[in-house]
Amino acid sequence: MSIGTSQQPSGDDAPSSPILAAGPGGETASTGLPGQQIGQPLEHPVEPVEERPEPRGSRLDEWWGHMLRTPGRRRLWYWGGPIAVTLLAAVLRLWNVANPHSLVFDETFYVKDAYTLLNNGYESQWPAGADQRFNSGDTDIFSDEGSFVVHPPLGKWVIALGLAAFGADNSFGWRIGTVVVGVLAVFLLTVIARRLFASTIVAVIVGFLFAIDGHAIVMSRVALLDGILMFFALLGFGAILLDRTWHEKRLRAWLAARQARVDAGLATESSWGPGLWWRPWLLAAGLAFGMAASVKWSGLYFLAAFGVYVVVVDALARRRAGVAFWASAAVLKQGPISFLLMVPIALATVIASWTGWFLTAGGYYRSWASEAGNAWTGALAWVPESVQSFWHYQVAAYEYHVGLSTPHPYQANPLTWLFMTRPTSMYYQGSSYGEDGCRADLCSAAIHSVANPLIWWAAAAAAFYLLYRLARYREWQTGLILMGLAAGYLPWLMYLNRTVYQFYTIAFEPYLLLGLGVVIAVILGRRDDPRWRRQRGIGVVAVYLGVAALVSAFFYPIWTAQLVPYWFWHLHMWLPSWV
């Protein structure tokens, strides 16, 4: 696989680039000899000078090739690189994650909802002042009365696993579920990037950036739902990536077998191609996107976007294979099959996530249909009352979502998300000298979900560059990445007047980083590039990664609620709108 060229990389770790440099500044070499006038005969014959081949690659490439000279070492790097950045992510996310021992931001909803799910099977109501009592360890103060919640239960069940393992009085238990998911997401993104770029080094760079980015770190260290949504959507993205290869191989095999039968006079040529029912990766994608939608409704956007993507990719595959009616076949023949492979399993997964609500009697709206005047009549009267009540609940939740417009000091318009003008402050605690260990006139402890600016802004710029690359080179990798970004971002542009937040962007951050990986691959070049070009590319990338790591080290205290002097906290507020 390569980017912008059909050539294969020279070795596992040679990202490709469409840039072919003729020389410094792009000049071509002169063919004349010094001092010679064109058309003037030479006074003395001159022996032709044999041109030396221009050096290729870099000494680092030679050393790296020597290091990976055996199959065992190549296997070690193949898995060791992704595992290394995953371990780094685990350290950054686990360190002191129990601090603060206080429900922060929307943990007040999801941790307590998770605890009542664990105990009652459905989200239940809490008394006034419950946060303070919960923080102090007085956790069993919930009622049996159902609470109106607008997000499906799966993400809260993930949080509940931590509560079951470590107890509800342990803030480590509140957050360990999202920590595990956040760490696994780094590994998953790394192996997806390797599959996309056919380069372990580019994949490890992408994983490294995800591991050290502040937005990803914060969203793994607080018990919110959006990081869990991101993980399941990324699983679906990976399944779609695998299905692409699976489908093309089986399509070619079917057409070859059909042609053999045609040549033998046993069949006629097919103008539409096959209808392929056995596509296990589409089933896996439907399951994963269903799990994403079982965390938050916005997971359905990924299902819809990649459902359309699959039809388009199938059409293009049939056109390349020479199928006459390739568009009609993809839409009318394979399209319905793909729909049946993806959508029913996704919807069944969403409904299954509500099992606790169905199996108990105390959930919110659980008895709605049994109340006088509520049950459906006419043609739908046969529908079970539990299903009627469930439908009514989902309609009420949808109406809440689309009508949410309560002002919040940290709300951020989706048009500003790529520019990161209003990151979310999850927690802030100020103190003066002598309080909470403060050794300055004023101190601050903050959890500020601001991404590493060097990573985020570069990745946002890369997203716009990918639009150019898609139009110029028609790379399928670029199109797939942009589809992930579109599924996570573009639907929010329909709700510009809603109360939404910058931290929602964690759902599409992996695709921003994959886009940045494309740019890094182009800058790195190939191992067979001219030495000056290859060395310059490696140097630029190395400097960028080093500076990005230093920026993350600088911001880490305000991602993790460390007590720092107020002036130090204020140094991190690079834009006035961040405060």
Side-chain angles (χ1 to χ4, degrees), residues 129-479:
D131 282 8
Q132 291 75 19
R133 295 174 65 181
F134 195 92
N135 292 340
S136 64
D138 188 9
T139 58
D140 294 330
I141 54 175
F142 52 88
S143 72
D144 293 333
E145 186 174 355
S147 175
F148 178 64
V149 296
V150 295
H151 297 304
L154 182 57
K156 287 163 280 188
W157 278 116
V158 172
I159 297 171
L161 292 176
L163 300 176
F166 297 97
D169 59 343
N170 186 339
S171 53
F172 180 86
W174 305 348
R175 299 169 184 141
I176 186 60
T178 50
V179 169
V180 171
V181 168
V183 172
L184 291 176
V186 172
F187 181 79
L188 179 60
L189 181 64
T190 307
V191 297
I192 285 174
R194 183 174 61 200
R195 181 87 178 191
L196 273 173
F197 303 129
S199 168
T200 301
I201 189 64
V202 174
V204 168
I205 289 173
V206 171
F208 172 74
L209 294 174
F210 200 29
I212 68 171
D213 177 64
H215 188 217
I217 290 172
V218 169
M219 295 306 294
S220 299
R221 290 175 58 95
V222 295
L224 271 61
L225 303 180
D226 300 82
I228 305 171
L229 162 68
M230 172 272 294
F231 174 74
F232 288 128
L234 189 59
L235 270 179
F237 179 88
I240 293 293
L241 172 62
L242 293 173
D243 174 74
R244 180 187 177 91
T245 303
W246 176 278
H247 170 258
E248 288 191 348
K249 286 182 178 179
R250 272 117 193 110
L251 176 64
R252 289 195 299 267
W254 188 94
L255 291 173
R258 181 61 175 251
Q259 187 60 47
R261 296 187 65 198
V262 170
D263 295 341
L266 301 176
T268 59
E269 292 188 4
S270 173
S271 299
W272 284 48
L276 300 175
W277 281 93
W278 179 235
R279 294 176 67 171
W281 292 116
L282 276 193
L283 288 169
L287 176 62
F289 293 139
M291 296 176 77
S294 300
V295 177
K296 273 192 164 185
W297 283 35
S298 51
L300 292 174
Y301 294 131
F302 287 91
L303 176 65
F306 283 103
V308 174
Y309 175 85
V310 165
V311 173
V312 173
V313 168
D314 288 356
L316 295 177
R318 288 168 190 258
R319 185 178 69 173
R320 288 193 298 271
V323 175
F325 301 126
W326 50 273
S328 300
V331 175
L332 301 177
K333 187 173 185 178
Q334 185 62 50
I337 296 174
S338 299
F339 177 90
L340 292 175
L341 290 174
M342 292 181 68
V343 175
I345 192 173
L347 296 181
T349 302
V350 173
I351 295 173
S353 71
W354 289 88
T355 299
W357 185 91
F358 279 104
L359 295 181
T360 58
Y364 199 82
Y365 279 143
R366 182 62 179 83
S367 303
W368 175 85
S370 62
E371 297 174 3
N374 289 341
W376 297 347
T377 59
L380 298 177
W382 61 271
V383 177
E385 289 187 349
S386 61
V387 176
Q388 296 183 35
S389 298
F390 179 72
W391 179 260
H392 178 75
Y393 192 171
Q394 304 311 304
V395 171
Y398 174 77
E399 291 174 349
Y400 172 87
H401 280 302
V402 298
L404 182 62
S405 58
T406 305
H408 190 281
Y410 280 97
Q411 68 187 65
N413 190 294
L415 293 174
T416 70
W417 283 357
L418 293 180
F419 308 104
M420 197 172 63
T421 60
R422 191 59 172 163
T424 311
S425 176
M426 301 281 182
Y427 171 82
Y428 182 87
Q429 182 67 47
S431 57
S432 56
Y433 185 83
E435 295 178 349
D436 302 322
C438 177
R439 293 294 180 264
D441 291 339
L442 294 174
C443 293
S444 298
I447 299 177
H448 206 68
S449 189
V450 55
N452 180 317
L454 201 61
I455 296 174
W456 184 267
W457 287 331
F464 292 102
Y465 172 66
L466 255 63
L467 293 172
Y468 158 77
R469 287 192 67 85
L470 182 63
R472 174 74 183 273
Y473 300 108
R474 308 294 174 86
E475 302 159 336
W476 69 264
Q477 298 98 325
T478 301

Side-chain angles (χ1 to χ4, degrees), residues 502-520:
Q502 176 76 31
F503 71 82
Y504 292 1
T505 58
I506 190 64
F508 61 80
E509 182 173 355
Y511 316 106
L512 285 176
L513 294 179
L514 288 173
L516 183 55
V518 172
V519 175
I520 288 173

